[in-house]
Amino acid sequence: MANELLRVKNIKKKYKMGEVEVYALRGVDFTLYDGELVVVLGHSGSGKSTLVNIIGGMDKPSAGEVYFGDLKLHKASDDQLIQYRRNEVGFIFQFYNLMPNLTAEENVNLSVQICKDPLDIKELLEKVGLSERGDHFPSQLSGGEQQRVAIARALAKNPTLLLCDEPTGALDLPTGKQILKILRDFCNIYNKTVVIITHNADISQMADRVVYLKDGLIEWVKVNEEPIDPEKVSW
Ligand SMILES: Nc1ncnc2c1ncn2[C@@H]1O[C@H](COP(=O)(O)OP(=O)(O)OP(=O)(O)O)[C@@H](O)[C@H]1O
Protein backbone atom coordinates (compact mmCIF):
# COMPACT_ATOMS: atom_id res chain seq x y z
CA MET A 1 0.00 0.00 0.00
CA ALA A 2 1.40 3.40 -0.98
CA ASN A 3 1.94 6.07 1.65
CA GLU A 4 -0.72 8.64 2.27
CA LEU A 5 0.27 12.03 0.85
CA LEU A 6 -2.67 14.27 1.59
CA ARG A 7 -5.94 13.83 3.43
CA VAL A 8 -9.07 15.93 3.14
CA LYS A 9 -11.59 15.49 5.95
CA ASN A 10 -15.18 16.60 5.59
CA ILE A 11 -14.38 19.87 3.86
CA LYS A 12 -17.00 22.40 3.01
CA LYS A 13 -16.63 25.59 1.04
CA LYS A 14 -19.17 28.32 1.11
CA TYR A 15 -19.04 31.45 -1.04
CA LYS A 16 -21.11 34.51 -0.22
CA MET A 17 -22.52 36.46 -3.11
CA GLY A 18 -24.35 39.37 -1.48
CA GLU A 19 -27.17 37.78 0.48
CA VAL A 20 -26.84 34.46 -1.29
CA GLU A 21 -24.63 31.62 -0.05
CA VAL A 22 -23.28 29.14 -2.57
CA TYR A 23 -21.97 25.80 -1.33
CA ALA A 24 -19.19 24.71 -3.72
CA LEU A 25 -18.20 21.76 -1.48
CA ARG A 26 -20.63 20.21 0.98
CA GLY A 27 -18.58 17.65 2.95
CA VAL A 28 -15.81 15.98 0.98
CA ASP A 29 -13.49 13.24 2.27
CA PHE A 30 -10.58 12.39 0.07
CA THR A 31 -7.11 10.87 0.37
CA LEU A 32 -4.21 11.06 -2.07
CA TYR A 33 -1.42 8.50 -2.05
CA ASP A 34 2.18 8.69 -3.25
CA GLY A 35 2.70 7.96 -6.92
CA GLU A 36 -0.92 7.67 -8.06
CA LEU A 37 -2.67 9.40 -10.92
CA VAL A 38 -6.13 10.52 -9.88
CA VAL A 39 -8.75 12.02 -12.16
CA VAL A 40 -11.32 14.25 -10.47
CA LEU A 41 -14.31 14.13 -12.76
CA GLY A 42 -17.47 16.20 -12.67
CA HIS A 43 -19.70 18.54 -14.61
CA SER A 44 -19.23 22.27 -14.65
CA GLY A 45 -20.00 23.72 -11.22
CA SER A 46 -19.57 20.41 -9.35
CA GLY A 47 -16.75 21.84 -7.23
CA LYS A 48 -13.64 20.44 -8.94
CA SER A 49 -11.65 23.68 -9.08
CA THR A 50 -12.66 24.57 -5.55
CA LEU A 51 -11.36 21.21 -4.31
CA VAL A 52 -8.10 21.56 -6.19
CA ASN A 53 -7.60 25.13 -5.04
CA ILE A 54 -7.89 23.89 -1.46
CA ILE A 55 -5.60 20.89 -2.01
CA GLY A 56 -3.12 23.23 -3.71
CA GLY A 57 -3.03 25.64 -0.78
CA MET A 58 -4.55 28.48 -2.82
CA ASP A 59 -7.67 28.63 -0.74
CA LYS A 60 -8.92 27.39 2.63
CA PRO A 61 -12.09 25.43 3.36
CA SER A 62 -14.92 27.09 5.28
CA ALA A 63 -15.03 23.94 7.44
CA GLY A 64 -13.15 20.66 7.66
CA GLU A 65 -9.49 19.68 7.66
CA VAL A 66 -6.71 19.17 5.12
CA TYR A 67 -3.49 17.42 6.13
CA PHE A 68 -0.30 17.24 4.11
CA GLY A 69 1.82 15.14 6.46
CA ASP A 70 2.00 17.19 9.65
CA LEU A 71 1.05 20.40 7.91
CA LYS A 72 -2.55 21.43 8.58
CA LEU A 73 -3.45 23.33 5.44
CA HIS A 74 -6.79 24.44 6.88
CA LYS A 75 -4.99 26.26 9.68
CA ALA A 76 -1.74 27.18 7.93
CA SER A 77 -0.40 30.74 7.96
CA ASP A 78 0.00 32.62 4.70
CA ASP A 79 3.73 32.02 4.88
CA GLN A 80 3.29 28.26 5.39
CA LEU A 81 0.95 28.16 2.40
CA ILE A 82 3.47 30.05 0.27
CA GLN A 83 6.18 27.54 1.19
CA TYR A 84 3.80 24.64 0.53
CA ARG A 85 2.82 25.95 -2.91
CA ARG A 86 6.40 26.80 -3.72
CA ASN A 87 8.04 23.54 -2.71
CA GLU A 88 5.42 20.82 -2.88
CA VAL A 89 2.88 21.66 -5.58
CA GLY A 90 3.11 22.08 -9.33
CA PHE A 91 0.15 23.64 -11.15
CA ILE A 92 -0.97 23.22 -14.72
CA PHE A 93 -4.00 25.05 -16.05
CA GLN A 94 -6.06 24.94 -19.22
CA PHE A 95 -4.40 28.13 -20.42
CA TYR A 96 -0.68 28.08 -20.19
CA ASN A 97 0.01 31.39 -18.45
CA LEU A 98 3.51 31.71 -19.87
CA MET A 99 5.39 35.01 -19.68
CA PRO A 100 5.19 36.26 -23.28
CA ASN A 101 8.48 38.15 -23.17
CA LEU A 102 10.51 35.16 -21.94
CA THR A 103 11.68 32.19 -24.02
CA ALA A 104 10.49 28.66 -23.26
CA GLU A 105 13.66 27.92 -21.31
CA GLU A 106 13.49 31.22 -19.42
CA ASN A 107 9.87 30.51 -18.49
CA VAL A 108 10.90 27.20 -16.99
CA ASN A 109 13.93 28.72 -15.35
CA LEU A 110 11.81 31.39 -13.67
CA SER A 111 9.93 28.83 -11.60
CA VAL A 112 13.04 27.18 -10.17
CA GLN A 113 14.59 30.41 -8.91
CA ILE A 114 12.68 30.20 -5.67
CA CYS A 115 12.42 26.49 -4.93
CA LYS A 116 14.57 24.09 -2.92
CA ASP A 117 15.37 21.10 -5.07
CA PRO A 118 14.74 21.76 -8.77
CA LEU A 119 15.10 19.26 -11.60
CA ASP A 120 17.42 19.84 -14.55
CA ILE A 121 15.74 22.24 -16.98
CA LYS A 122 17.42 21.04 -20.18
CA GLU A 123 16.60 17.44 -19.32
CA LEU A 124 12.96 18.37 -18.71
CA LEU A 125 12.64 20.29 -21.96
CA GLU A 126 14.01 17.20 -23.67
CA LYS A 127 11.50 14.96 -21.85
CA VAL A 128 8.59 17.10 -23.04
CA GLY A 129 10.02 17.04 -26.57
CA LEU A 130 11.08 20.68 -26.71
CA SER A 131 14.87 20.58 -26.56
CA GLU A 132 15.03 22.31 -29.95
CA ARG A 133 12.55 24.99 -28.92
CA GLY A 134 14.06 26.31 -25.69
CA ASP A 135 14.91 29.65 -27.27
CA HIS A 136 11.46 30.22 -28.77
CA PHE A 137 9.02 32.72 -27.33
CA PRO A 138 5.46 31.54 -26.51
CA SER A 139 4.06 33.33 -29.58
CA GLN A 140 6.34 31.16 -31.73
CA LEU A 141 4.96 27.94 -30.24
CA SER A 142 1.72 26.03 -30.87
CA GLY A 143 -0.83 25.54 -28.09
CA GLY A 144 0.43 22.01 -27.41
CA GLU A 145 4.03 23.22 -27.27
CA GLN A 146 3.08 26.02 -24.91
CA GLN A 147 1.33 23.53 -22.68
CA ARG A 148 4.47 21.37 -22.71
CA VAL A 149 6.50 24.39 -21.59
CA ALA A 150 3.95 24.95 -18.82
CA ILE A 151 4.32 21.30 -17.79
CA ALA A 152 8.12 21.53 -17.81
CA ARG A 153 7.80 24.68 -15.69
CA ALA A 154 5.56 22.92 -13.17
CA LEU A 155 7.75 19.79 -13.07
CA ALA A 156 11.02 21.72 -12.80
CA LYS A 157 10.15 22.60 -9.22
CA ASN A 158 10.25 18.87 -8.54
CA PRO A 159 6.87 19.00 -6.82
CA THR A 160 5.53 16.19 -4.69
CA LEU A 161 2.08 16.81 -6.08
CA LEU A 162 1.11 17.94 -9.57
CA LEU A 163 -2.35 19.51 -9.93
CA CYS A 164 -3.71 19.87 -13.45
CA ASP A 165 -6.95 21.76 -14.05
CA GLU A 166 -8.36 20.79 -17.50
CA PRO A 167 -4.83 20.44 -18.93
CA THR A 168 -6.07 19.35 -22.36
CA GLY A 169 -9.14 21.59 -22.45
CA ALA A 170 -7.77 23.88 -25.15
CA LEU A 171 -6.03 21.19 -27.24
CA ASP A 172 -6.99 18.88 -30.08
CA LEU A 173 -7.04 15.13 -29.49
CA PRO A 174 -3.54 14.15 -30.73
CA THR A 175 -1.93 17.03 -28.83
CA GLY A 176 -4.05 16.33 -25.77
CA LYS A 177 -2.89 12.72 -25.76
CA GLN A 178 0.75 13.80 -25.88
CA ILE A 179 0.12 15.95 -22.81
CA LEU A 180 -1.61 13.10 -20.98
CA LYS A 181 1.30 10.80 -21.78
CA ILE A 182 3.79 13.29 -20.32
CA LEU A 183 1.68 13.47 -17.15
CA ARG A 184 1.47 9.66 -16.90
CA ASP A 185 5.24 9.35 -17.46
CA PHE A 186 5.98 11.94 -14.77
CA CYS A 187 3.81 9.98 -12.36
CA ASN A 188 5.48 6.66 -13.22
CA ILE A 189 9.11 7.73 -13.66
CA TYR A 190 9.36 10.05 -10.67
CA ASN A 191 6.76 8.27 -8.53
CA LYS A 192 4.84 11.53 -8.07
CA THR A 193 1.17 12.08 -7.40
CA VAL A 194 -0.73 13.65 -10.27
CA VAL A 195 -4.29 14.97 -10.05
CA ILE A 196 -6.11 15.79 -13.28
CA ILE A 197 -9.36 17.70 -13.07
CA THR A 198 -11.67 17.34 -16.02
CA HIS A 199 -15.26 17.15 -17.14
CA ASN A 200 -14.13 14.69 -19.85
CA ALA A 201 -15.05 11.17 -18.72
CA ASP A 202 -12.86 9.58 -21.43
CA ILE A 203 -9.71 10.86 -19.75
CA SER A 204 -10.62 9.02 -16.56
CA GLN A 205 -9.78 5.69 -18.22
CA MET A 206 -6.04 6.43 -17.84
CA ALA A 207 -6.32 7.11 -14.09
CA ASP A 208 -5.37 4.78 -11.27
CA ARG A 209 -8.36 6.17 -9.43
CA VAL A 210 -11.36 8.27 -10.44
CA VAL A 211 -13.20 10.55 -8.04
CA TYR A 212 -16.58 11.73 -9.27
CA LEU A 213 -17.88 15.00 -7.86
CA LYS A 214 -21.49 16.09 -8.12
CA ASP A 215 -23.00 19.18 -6.53
CA GLY A 216 -20.13 19.57 -4.11
CA LEU A 217 -20.11 15.95 -2.94
CA ILE A 218 -18.16 12.86 -3.96
CA GLU A 219 -20.72 10.63 -5.59
CA TRP A 220 -18.39 7.72 -6.28
CA VAL A 221 -14.75 6.63 -6.36
CA LYS A 222 -13.50 3.97 -8.74
CA VAL A 223 -10.17 2.15 -8.84
CA ASN A 224 -9.02 1.28 -12.36
CA GLU A 225 -7.25 -2.06 -12.06
CA GLU A 226 -5.81 -1.61 -15.54
CA PRO A 227 -5.58 2.07 -16.49
CA ILE A 228 -5.35 2.45 -20.24
CA ASP A 229 -2.37 3.91 -22.06
CA PRO A 230 -2.93 7.66 -22.64
CA GLU A 231 -2.31 6.97 -26.36
CA LYS A 232 -5.54 5.00 -26.37
CA VAL A 233 -7.66 7.69 -24.76
CA SER A 234 -10.12 9.14 -27.24
CA TRP A 235 -12.83 11.77 -27.14
N1 LIG B 1 -15.17 32.76 -5.93
C1 LIG B 1 -16.42 32.31 -6.03
N2 LIG B 1 -17.46 33.05 -5.62
C2 LIG B 1 -18.71 32.61 -5.68
N3 LIG B 1 -19.05 31.37 -6.13
C3 LIG B 1 -18.07 30.58 -6.56
C4 LIG B 1 -16.70 31.00 -6.53
N4 LIG B 1 -15.94 29.98 -7.02
C5 LIG B 1 -16.79 28.99 -7.33
N5 LIG B 1 -18.06 29.35 -7.05
C6 LIG B 1 -19.26 28.52 -7.25
O1 LIG B 1 -19.03 27.25 -6.63
C7 LIG B 1 -19.52 26.19 -7.45
C8 LIG B 1 -18.39 25.23 -7.81
O2 LIG B 1 -17.47 25.91 -8.65
P1 LIG B 1 -16.14 25.23 -9.19
O3 LIG B 1 -15.45 26.28 -10.04
O4 LIG B 1 -15.37 24.64 -8.09
O5 LIG B 1 -16.72 24.07 -10.12
P2 LIG B 1 -16.01 23.26 -11.27
O6 LIG B 1 -16.52 21.87 -11.17
O7 LIG B 1 -14.54 23.47 -11.25
O8 LIG B 1 -16.62 23.96 -12.57
P3 LIG B 1 -15.92 24.21 -14.00
O9 LIG B 1 -15.68 22.86 -14.60
O10 LIG B 1 -16.97 24.99 -14.75
O11 LIG B 1 -14.68 25.01 -13.76
C9 LIG B 1 -20.18 26.86 -8.64
O12 LIG B 1 -21.55 27.00 -8.36
C10 LIG B 1 -19.52 28.21 -8.71
O13 LIG B 1 -20.36 29.18 -9.31
Side-chain angles (χ1 to χ4, degrees):
M1 185 77 183
N3 288 327
E4 181 178 309
L5 180 68
L6 182 139
R7 179 179 288 255
V8 162
K9 278 183 162 174
N10 197 22
I11 57 168
K12 297 179 181 159
K13 182 71 186 180
K14 182 171 68 176
Y15 294 108
K16 268 202 148 193
M17 307 223 311
E19 296 295 293
V20 184
E21 290 183 341
V22 178
Y23 277 85
L25 296 174
R26 296 189 290 130
V28 167
D29 290 287
F30 181 60
T31 303
L32 286 174
Y33 298 93
D34 282 339
E36 66 171 348
L37 191 151
V38 174
V39 163
V40 176
L41 189 64
H43 293 297
S44 183
S46 55
K48 305 183 297 295
S49 299
T50 303
L51 177 61
V52 160
N53 287 344
I54 291 172
I55 291 174
M58 288 185 285
D59 204 354
K60 283 186 181 169
S62 315
E65 294 147 37
V66 187
Y67 296 93
F68 179 83
D70 293 336
L71 178 63
K72 297 178 178 135
L73 292 178
H74 53 288
K75 284 188 179 169
S77 64
D78 287 348
D79 194 45
Q80 282 175 313
L81 289 178
I82 290 170
Q83 295 303 326
Y84 170 71
R85 289 196 301 266
R86 188 176 287 178
N87 295 312
E88 309 293 353
V89 192
F91 296 99
I92 295 167
F93 300 99
Q94 177 171 357
F95 300 104
Y96 327 114
N97 305 319
L98 300 177
M99 300 289 282
N101 57 335
L102 299 181
T103 64
E105 187 170 331
E106 287 165 350
N107 263 284
V108 180
N109 199 16
L110 191 64
S111 79
V112 305
Q113 301 295 326
I114 50 171
C115 69
K116 278 194 303 206
D117 185 23
L119 298 175
D120 187 89
I121 291 172
K122 295 235 184 270
E123 195 182 310
L124 273 170
L125 282 173
E126 196 185 318
K127 279 216 163 64
V128 299
L130 287 179
S131 42
E132 306 296 317
R133 298 292 184 109
D135 59 352
H136 285 58
F137 291 96
S139 61
Q140 300 170 316
L141 299 170
S142 69
E145 288 167 340
Q146 290 184 57
Q147 187 61 304
R148 284 188 269 157
V149 176
I151 292 178
R153 180 183 57 188
L155 300 186
K157 293 165 56 179
N158 198 6
T160 317
L161 175 61
L162 186 63
L163 299 178
C164 318
D165 197 344
E166 296 283 4
T168 62
L171 302 174
D172 59 30
L173 178 61
T175 316
K177 289 203 285 195
Q178 287 172 4
I179 298 300
L180 296 176
K181 179 158 172 33
I182 292 168
L183 297 177
R184 178 85 251 184
D185 285 350
F186 175 71
C187 178
N188 290 356
I189 295 168
Y190 295 98
N191 193 36
K192 302 285 188 173
T193 306
V194 175
V195 178
I196 300 175
I197 292 197
T198 182
H199 63 273
N200 183 344
D202 297 307
I203 292 178
S204 65
Q205 300 172 76
M206 66 172 276
D208 298 312
R209 215 150 51 91
V210 188
V211 175
Y212 183 74
L213 269 183
K214 189 176 173 194
D215 296 335
L217 288 171
I218 293 180
E219 190 160 270
W220 50 259
V221 178
K222 185 175 110 187
V223 174
N224 277 339
E225 296 300 342
E226 291 187 24
I228 71 168
D229 187 324
E231 306 278 348
K232 298 204 174 103
V233 173
S234 188
W235 61 84

